[in-house]
Short mmCIF file of all heavy atoms in Angstrom, two decimals:
data_model
loop_
_atom_site.label_atom_id
_atom_site.label_comp_id
_atom_site.label_asym_id
_atom_site.label_seq_id
_atom_site.Cartn_x
_atom_site.Cartn_y
_atom_site.Cartn_z
N MET A 1 -13.84 -16.81 -1.30
CA MET A 1 -13.66 -16.45 0.08
C MET A 1 -13.83 -14.93 0.23
O MET A 1 -13.38 -14.17 -0.61
CB MET A 1 -12.28 -16.89 0.55
CG MET A 1 -12.09 -16.82 2.03
SD MET A 1 -10.48 -17.48 2.53
CE MET A 1 -11.01 -19.07 3.12
N ASP A 2 -14.45 -14.50 1.30
CA ASP A 2 -14.73 -13.09 1.53
C ASP A 2 -13.43 -12.33 1.78
O ASP A 2 -12.56 -12.76 2.53
CB ASP A 2 -15.66 -12.97 2.73
CG ASP A 2 -16.14 -11.56 2.96
OD1 ASP A 2 -16.30 -10.81 1.98
OD2 ASP A 2 -16.36 -11.21 4.11
N LEU A 3 -13.29 -11.16 1.14
CA LEU A 3 -12.08 -10.35 1.25
C LEU A 3 -11.81 -9.93 2.69
O LEU A 3 -10.67 -9.99 3.16
CB LEU A 3 -12.18 -9.13 0.35
CG LEU A 3 -11.03 -8.14 0.43
CD1 LEU A 3 -9.73 -8.80 -0.02
CD2 LEU A 3 -11.31 -6.92 -0.40
N LEU A 4 -12.86 -9.50 3.41
CA LEU A 4 -12.65 -9.07 4.79
C LEU A 4 -12.21 -10.21 5.69
O LEU A 4 -11.40 -10.02 6.60
CB LEU A 4 -13.92 -8.42 5.34
CG LEU A 4 -14.29 -7.08 4.74
CD1 LEU A 4 -15.57 -6.54 5.36
CD2 LEU A 4 -13.16 -6.08 4.90
N PHE A 5 -12.71 -11.42 5.42
CA PHE A 5 -12.28 -12.58 6.20
C PHE A 5 -10.80 -12.86 5.97
O PHE A 5 -10.05 -13.13 6.90
CB PHE A 5 -13.12 -13.81 5.83
CG PHE A 5 -12.74 -15.04 6.58
CD1 PHE A 5 -13.06 -15.18 7.93
CD2 PHE A 5 -12.04 -16.06 5.95
CE1 PHE A 5 -12.70 -16.33 8.63
CE2 PHE A 5 -11.67 -17.20 6.64
CZ PHE A 5 -12.00 -17.33 7.98
N CYS A 6 -10.37 -12.78 4.72
CA CYS A 6 -8.95 -12.99 4.40
C CYS A 6 -8.09 -11.91 5.04
O CYS A 6 -7.04 -12.20 5.60
CB CYS A 6 -8.74 -12.96 2.89
SG CYS A 6 -9.44 -14.35 2.02
N LEU A 7 -8.53 -10.67 4.95
CA LEU A 7 -7.76 -9.57 5.52
C LEU A 7 -7.68 -9.68 7.03
O LEU A 7 -6.64 -9.42 7.62
CB LEU A 7 -8.39 -8.24 5.12
CG LEU A 7 -7.62 -6.99 5.52
CD1 LEU A 7 -6.21 -7.02 4.93
CD2 LEU A 7 -8.35 -5.75 5.06
N GLU A 8 -8.77 -10.10 7.65
CA GLU A 8 -8.77 -10.26 9.10
C GLU A 8 -7.77 -11.32 9.54
O GLU A 8 -7.08 -11.16 10.53
CB GLU A 8 -10.17 -10.60 9.60
CG GLU A 8 -10.31 -10.49 11.09
CD GLU A 8 -11.76 -10.59 11.51
OE1 GLU A 8 -12.64 -10.16 10.76
OE2 GLU A 8 -12.00 -11.13 12.61
N SER A 9 -7.67 -12.41 8.78
CA SER A 9 -6.71 -13.45 9.14
C SER A 9 -5.27 -12.97 8.94
O SER A 9 -4.38 -13.33 9.71
CB SER A 9 -6.97 -14.73 8.35
OG SER A 9 -6.61 -14.57 7.01
N ILE A 10 -5.05 -12.13 7.94
CA ILE A 10 -3.71 -11.57 7.73
C ILE A 10 -3.35 -10.61 8.86
O ILE A 10 -2.25 -10.65 9.40
CB ILE A 10 -3.63 -10.86 6.36
CG1 ILE A 10 -3.75 -11.88 5.24
CG2 ILE A 10 -2.34 -10.05 6.23
CD1 ILE A 10 -3.96 -11.27 3.88
N LEU A 11 -4.30 -9.75 9.22
CA LEU A 11 -4.04 -8.78 10.29
C LEU A 11 -3.86 -9.45 11.65
O LEU A 11 -3.17 -8.91 12.52
CB LEU A 11 -5.16 -7.75 10.36
CG LEU A 11 -5.26 -6.79 9.18
CD1 LEU A 11 -6.45 -5.85 9.37
CD2 LEU A 11 -3.98 -6.01 8.99
N SER A 12 -4.46 -10.61 11.82
CA SER A 12 -4.33 -11.30 13.11
C SER A 12 -2.88 -11.68 13.41
O SER A 12 -2.50 -11.85 14.56
CB SER A 12 -5.24 -12.52 13.17
OG SER A 12 -4.78 -13.52 12.30
N ASP A 13 -2.05 -11.78 12.38
CA ASP A 13 -0.63 -12.05 12.57
C ASP A 13 0.07 -10.91 13.32
O ASP A 13 1.12 -11.11 13.92
CB ASP A 13 0.08 -12.27 11.24
CG ASP A 13 -0.34 -13.56 10.57
OD1 ASP A 13 -0.88 -14.46 11.27
OD2 ASP A 13 -0.15 -13.68 9.35
N PHE A 14 -0.52 -9.71 13.28
CA PHE A 14 0.07 -8.55 13.94
C PHE A 14 -0.51 -8.29 15.33
O PHE A 14 -0.13 -7.33 15.99
CB PHE A 14 -0.13 -7.30 13.07
CG PHE A 14 0.57 -7.39 11.75
CD1 PHE A 14 -0.12 -7.81 10.63
CD2 PHE A 14 1.91 -7.09 11.64
CE1 PHE A 14 0.53 -7.91 9.40
CE2 PHE A 14 2.56 -7.18 10.42
CZ PHE A 14 1.87 -7.60 9.30
N ARG A 15 -1.46 -9.13 15.77
CA ARG A 15 -2.15 -8.92 17.04
C ARG A 15 -1.19 -8.83 18.23
O ARG A 15 -1.38 -8.05 19.14
CB ARG A 15 -3.18 -10.02 17.29
CG ARG A 15 -4.03 -9.80 18.51
CD ARG A 15 -5.09 -10.87 18.66
NE ARG A 15 -6.04 -10.89 17.57
CZ ARG A 15 -7.13 -10.13 17.50
NH1 ARG A 15 -7.39 -9.29 18.46
NH2 ARG A 15 -7.95 -10.23 16.49
N HIS A 16 -0.12 -9.61 18.22
CA HIS A 16 0.81 -9.63 19.35
C HIS A 16 1.58 -8.31 19.50
O HIS A 16 2.18 -8.06 20.53
CB HIS A 16 1.79 -10.80 19.21
CG HIS A 16 2.78 -10.63 18.11
ND1 HIS A 16 2.47 -10.90 16.80
CD2 HIS A 16 4.06 -10.22 18.12
CE1 HIS A 16 3.53 -10.65 16.05
NE2 HIS A 16 4.52 -10.24 16.83
N LEU A 17 1.56 -7.45 18.50
CA LEU A 17 2.27 -6.18 18.56
C LEU A 17 1.48 -5.08 19.25
O LEU A 17 2.04 -4.03 19.58
CB LEU A 17 2.62 -5.71 17.14
CG LEU A 17 3.52 -6.64 16.34
CD1 LEU A 17 3.64 -6.14 14.90
CD2 LEU A 17 4.87 -6.76 16.99
N PHE A 18 0.18 -5.31 19.49
CA PHE A 18 -0.71 -4.29 20.02
C PHE A 18 -1.48 -4.82 21.23
O PHE A 18 -1.69 -6.03 21.34
CB PHE A 18 -1.76 -3.88 18.96
CG PHE A 18 -1.17 -3.35 17.69
CD1 PHE A 18 -0.97 -4.19 16.60
CD2 PHE A 18 -0.83 -2.02 17.56
CE1 PHE A 18 -0.45 -3.71 15.41
CE2 PHE A 18 -0.30 -1.53 16.38
CZ PHE A 18 -0.11 -2.38 15.30
N ASN A 19 -1.95 -3.89 22.07
CA ASN A 19 -2.94 -4.30 23.07
C ASN A 19 -4.29 -4.34 22.36
O ASN A 19 -4.39 -3.99 21.18
CB ASN A 19 -2.93 -3.40 24.30
CG ASN A 19 -3.32 -1.96 24.00
OD1 ASN A 19 -4.09 -1.69 23.10
ND2 ASN A 19 -2.78 -1.04 24.78
N GLN A 20 -5.33 -4.76 23.05
CA GLN A 20 -6.63 -4.98 22.39
C GLN A 20 -7.18 -3.70 21.78
O GLN A 20 -7.65 -3.71 20.64
CB GLN A 20 -7.62 -5.56 23.40
CG GLN A 20 -8.95 -5.90 22.77
CD GLN A 20 -9.90 -6.55 23.76
OE1 GLN A 20 -9.55 -6.75 24.91
NE2 GLN A 20 -11.08 -6.88 23.31
N HIS A 21 -7.13 -2.60 22.51
CA HIS A 21 -7.69 -1.34 22.01
C HIS A 21 -6.90 -0.84 20.79
O HIS A 21 -7.49 -0.45 19.78
CB HIS A 21 -7.68 -0.30 23.12
CG HIS A 21 -8.16 1.05 22.68
ND1 HIS A 21 -9.47 1.29 22.38
CD2 HIS A 21 -7.50 2.20 22.45
CE1 HIS A 21 -9.60 2.56 21.99
NE2 HIS A 21 -8.41 3.14 22.03
N ASN A 22 -5.59 -0.86 20.88
CA ASN A 22 -4.77 -0.38 19.77
C ASN A 22 -4.88 -1.28 18.55
O ASN A 22 -4.80 -0.80 17.42
CB ASN A 22 -3.31 -0.25 20.20
CG ASN A 22 -3.08 0.93 21.10
OD1 ASN A 22 -3.89 1.85 21.16
ND2 ASN A 22 -2.00 0.89 21.84
N PHE A 23 -5.09 -2.58 18.75
CA PHE A 23 -5.28 -3.47 17.61
C PHE A 23 -6.58 -3.14 16.89
O PHE A 23 -6.62 -3.16 15.66
CB PHE A 23 -5.27 -4.93 18.05
CG PHE A 23 -5.37 -5.88 16.89
CD1 PHE A 23 -4.30 -6.04 16.01
CD2 PHE A 23 -6.52 -6.60 16.65
CE1 PHE A 23 -4.39 -6.89 14.93
CE2 PHE A 23 -6.62 -7.46 15.58
CZ PHE A 23 -5.56 -7.61 14.71
N ALA A 24 -7.63 -2.81 17.64
CA ALA A 24 -8.90 -2.42 17.01
C ALA A 24 -8.72 -1.15 16.19
O ALA A 24 -9.27 -1.03 15.09
CB ALA A 24 -9.97 -2.23 18.08
N LEU A 25 -7.94 -0.20 16.70
CA LEU A 25 -7.67 1.03 15.95
C LEU A 25 -6.83 0.73 14.70
O LEU A 25 -7.06 1.31 13.64
CB LEU A 25 -6.95 2.05 16.83
CG LEU A 25 -7.75 2.62 17.99
CD1 LEU A 25 -6.87 3.52 18.85
CD2 LEU A 25 -8.95 3.39 17.47
N PHE A 26 -5.88 -0.18 14.83
CA PHE A 26 -5.05 -0.59 13.69
C PHE A 26 -5.92 -1.21 12.60
O PHE A 26 -5.79 -0.87 11.42
CB PHE A 26 -3.98 -1.57 14.17
CG PHE A 26 -3.19 -2.22 13.08
CD1 PHE A 26 -2.31 -1.49 12.31
CD2 PHE A 26 -3.32 -3.58 12.83
CE1 PHE A 26 -1.56 -2.09 11.30
CE2 PHE A 26 -2.58 -4.20 11.84
CZ PHE A 26 -1.70 -3.45 11.07
N GLN A 27 -6.84 -2.10 13.00
CA GLN A 27 -7.74 -2.72 12.02
C GLN A 27 -8.61 -1.67 11.35
O GLN A 27 -8.80 -1.70 10.14
CB GLN A 27 -8.62 -3.75 12.69
CG GLN A 27 -7.98 -5.07 12.92
CD GLN A 27 -8.96 -6.07 13.48
OE1 GLN A 27 -9.68 -5.77 14.44
NE2 GLN A 27 -8.98 -7.25 12.91
N ALA A 28 -9.16 -0.74 12.14
CA ALA A 28 -10.01 0.30 11.58
C ALA A 28 -9.24 1.15 10.59
O ALA A 28 -9.77 1.53 9.54
CB ALA A 28 -10.58 1.17 12.70
N PHE A 29 -7.99 1.44 10.90
CA PHE A 29 -7.15 2.22 9.98
C PHE A 29 -6.94 1.48 8.67
O PHE A 29 -7.09 2.04 7.58
CB PHE A 29 -5.81 2.55 10.64
CG PHE A 29 -4.87 3.26 9.72
CD1 PHE A 29 -5.03 4.59 9.42
CD2 PHE A 29 -3.82 2.57 9.13
CE1 PHE A 29 -4.17 5.24 8.55
CE2 PHE A 29 -2.95 3.21 8.26
CZ PHE A 29 -3.13 4.55 7.97
N ILE A 30 -6.60 0.21 8.74
CA ILE A 30 -6.34 -0.58 7.53
C ILE A 30 -7.61 -0.72 6.69
O ILE A 30 -7.59 -0.51 5.47
CB ILE A 30 -5.77 -1.98 7.88
CG1 ILE A 30 -4.42 -1.85 8.58
CG2 ILE A 30 -5.66 -2.85 6.64
CD1 ILE A 30 -3.33 -1.20 7.76
N PHE A 31 -8.74 -1.05 7.33
CA PHE A 31 -10.00 -1.17 6.59
C PHE A 31 -10.40 0.17 5.98
O PHE A 31 -10.86 0.22 4.85
CB PHE A 31 -11.12 -1.69 7.50
CG PHE A 31 -10.95 -3.13 7.91
CD1 PHE A 31 -11.39 -3.56 9.14
CD2 PHE A 31 -10.36 -4.06 7.09
CE1 PHE A 31 -11.25 -4.88 9.54
CE2 PHE A 31 -10.21 -5.38 7.46
CZ PHE A 31 -10.65 -5.79 8.69
N GLY A 32 -10.22 1.26 6.73
CA GLY A 32 -10.55 2.59 6.22
C GLY A 32 -9.64 2.98 5.07
O GLY A 32 -10.07 3.61 4.10
N PHE A 33 -8.36 2.63 5.16
CA PHE A 33 -7.41 2.93 4.10
C PHE A 33 -7.82 2.24 2.80
O PHE A 33 -7.76 2.82 1.73
CB PHE A 33 -6.02 2.47 4.52
CG PHE A 33 -4.91 2.93 3.62
CD1 PHE A 33 -4.45 4.23 3.68
CD2 PHE A 33 -4.35 2.06 2.71
CE1 PHE A 33 -3.42 4.65 2.85
CE2 PHE A 33 -3.33 2.47 1.88
CZ PHE A 33 -2.87 3.77 1.94
N ILE A 34 -8.28 1.01 2.91
CA ILE A 34 -8.73 0.27 1.73
C ILE A 34 -10.05 0.84 1.20
O ILE A 34 -10.22 1.04 0.00
CB ILE A 34 -8.87 -1.23 2.05
CG1 ILE A 34 -7.48 -1.82 2.28
CG2 ILE A 34 -9.60 -1.98 0.94
CD1 ILE A 34 -7.47 -3.21 2.84
N ALA A 35 -10.98 1.13 2.11
CA ALA A 35 -12.30 1.64 1.70
C ALA A 35 -12.20 3.03 1.06
O ALA A 35 -12.94 3.35 0.14
CB ALA A 35 -13.24 1.69 2.89
N ASN A 36 -11.26 3.85 1.56
CA ASN A 36 -11.11 5.22 1.05
C ASN A 36 -10.08 5.31 -0.07
O ASN A 36 -9.78 6.40 -0.52
CB ASN A 36 -10.68 6.15 2.19
CG ASN A 36 -11.77 7.07 2.62
OD1 ASN A 36 -12.81 7.13 2.01
ND2 ASN A 36 -11.52 7.80 3.68
N ARG A 37 -9.52 4.20 -0.46
CA ARG A 37 -8.49 4.13 -1.50
C ARG A 37 -7.28 4.99 -1.15
O ARG A 37 -6.66 5.60 -2.02
CB ARG A 37 -9.06 4.55 -2.85
CG ARG A 37 -10.16 3.64 -3.32
CD ARG A 37 -10.61 4.03 -4.72
NE ARG A 37 -11.79 3.28 -5.06
CZ ARG A 37 -13.00 3.80 -5.16
NH1 ARG A 37 -13.18 5.07 -4.97
NH2 ARG A 37 -14.01 3.05 -5.46
N GLY A 38 -6.99 5.11 0.15
CA GLY A 38 -5.80 5.83 0.60
C GLY A 38 -5.95 7.34 0.66
O GLY A 38 -4.99 8.02 0.97
N ASN A 39 -7.13 7.86 0.37
CA ASN A 39 -7.35 9.30 0.40
C ASN A 39 -8.05 9.70 1.68
O ASN A 39 -8.83 8.94 2.23
CB ASN A 39 -8.20 9.74 -0.79
CG ASN A 39 -7.55 9.42 -2.12
OD1 ASN A 39 -6.34 9.46 -2.23
ND2 ASN A 39 -8.36 9.08 -3.09
N GLY A 40 -7.79 10.90 2.13
CA GLY A 40 -8.51 11.43 3.27
C GLY A 40 -7.63 11.59 4.50
O GLY A 40 -6.48 11.15 4.54
N THR A 41 -8.20 12.23 5.49
CA THR A 41 -7.49 12.45 6.74
C THR A 41 -7.52 11.19 7.58
O THR A 41 -8.26 10.24 7.29
CB THR A 41 -8.12 13.59 7.53
OG1 THR A 41 -9.44 13.21 7.90
CG2 THR A 41 -8.18 14.89 6.73
N LEU A 42 -6.72 11.17 8.63
CA LEU A 42 -6.68 10.02 9.51
C LEU A 42 -8.05 9.77 10.13
O LEU A 42 -8.49 8.62 10.23
CB LEU A 42 -5.63 10.25 10.60
CG LEU A 42 -5.28 9.08 11.49
CD1 LEU A 42 -4.80 7.91 10.66
CD2 LEU A 42 -4.21 9.48 12.48
N THR A 43 -8.76 10.82 10.51
CA THR A 43 -10.10 10.68 11.08
C THR A 43 -11.05 10.05 10.08
O THR A 43 -11.84 9.17 10.42
CB THR A 43 -10.63 12.05 11.53
OG1 THR A 43 -9.73 12.61 12.49
CG2 THR A 43 -12.02 11.93 12.14
N GLU A 44 -10.99 10.48 8.82
CA GLU A 44 -11.85 9.91 7.79
C GLU A 44 -11.53 8.44 7.56
O GLU A 44 -12.44 7.64 7.31
CB GLU A 44 -11.69 10.68 6.48
CG GLU A 44 -12.27 12.08 6.52
CD GLU A 44 -11.92 12.90 5.30
OE1 GLU A 44 -10.98 12.53 4.56
OE2 GLU A 44 -12.58 13.93 5.09
N LEU A 45 -10.26 8.05 7.65
CA LEU A 45 -9.90 6.66 7.49
C LEU A 45 -10.50 5.80 8.60
O LEU A 45 -11.03 4.73 8.36
CB LEU A 45 -8.38 6.48 7.45
CG LEU A 45 -7.67 7.08 6.24
CD1 LEU A 45 -6.17 6.91 6.40
CD2 LEU A 45 -8.15 6.46 4.95
N TYR A 46 -10.40 6.29 9.85
CA TYR A 46 -10.97 5.54 10.98
C TYR A 46 -12.48 5.43 10.85
O TYR A 46 -13.06 4.38 11.10
CB TYR A 46 -10.62 6.21 12.32
CG TYR A 46 -9.24 5.90 12.81
CD1 TYR A 46 -8.36 6.92 13.13
CD2 TYR A 46 -8.79 4.60 12.94
CE1 TYR A 46 -7.08 6.65 13.59
CE2 TYR A 46 -7.52 4.30 13.39
CZ TYR A 46 -6.67 5.34 13.71
OH TYR A 46 -5.41 5.05 14.15
N GLN A 47 -13.13 6.50 10.42
CA GLN A 47 -14.59 6.47 10.27
C GLN A 47 -15.00 5.54 9.14
O GLN A 47 -16.04 4.89 9.22
CB GLN A 47 -15.12 7.89 10.04
CG GLN A 47 -15.01 8.74 11.27
CD GLN A 47 -15.36 10.21 11.01
OE1 GLN A 47 -15.42 10.64 9.86
NE2 GLN A 47 -15.58 10.94 12.08
N SER A 48 -14.23 5.45 8.09
CA SER A 48 -14.54 4.54 6.99
C SER A 48 -14.38 3.09 7.39
O SER A 48 -15.06 2.22 6.89
CB SER A 48 -13.64 4.82 5.79
OG SER A 48 -13.87 6.09 5.27
N GLY A 49 -13.45 2.83 8.29
CA GLY A 49 -13.18 1.46 8.71
C GLY A 49 -14.16 0.92 9.73
O GLY A 49 -14.19 -0.27 9.99
N ALA A 50 -14.95 1.78 10.32
CA ALA A 50 -15.88 1.35 11.37
C ALA A 50 -17.05 0.58 10.82
O ALA A 50 -17.40 0.57 9.72
CB ALA A 50 -16.36 2.55 12.16
#
């Protein structure tokens, strides 16, 4: 099973905590955090997650 598909289903459990725009930013942050291995500025994390 694809890792991003699994992660997306896990993150969907948190959807009710955010509005649509903020949930997209939350997902971008999490994906960027994983892609950057936790290093970098907040802007770099968002750009990595896009």
Side-chain angles (χ1 to χ4, degrees):
M1 192 176 258
D2 187 32
L3 176 63
L4 291 179
F5 180 73
C6 291
L7 186 58
E8 192 170 327
S9 72
I10 293 168
L11 292 178
S12 69
D13 291 340
F14 297 96
R15 186 176 298 274
H16 71 279
L17 299 173
F18 301 95
N19 63 30
Q20 184 177 359
H21 177 71
N22 287 341
F23 184 71
L25 293 175
F26 172 69
Q27 280 185 311
F29 175 76
I30 297 298
F31 291 147
F33 190 77
I34 292 170
N36 252 353
R37 298 185 188 109
N39 299 326
T41 64
L42 189 57
T43 302
E44 290 171 344
L45 293 176
Y46 280 126
Q47 290 172 346
S48 296

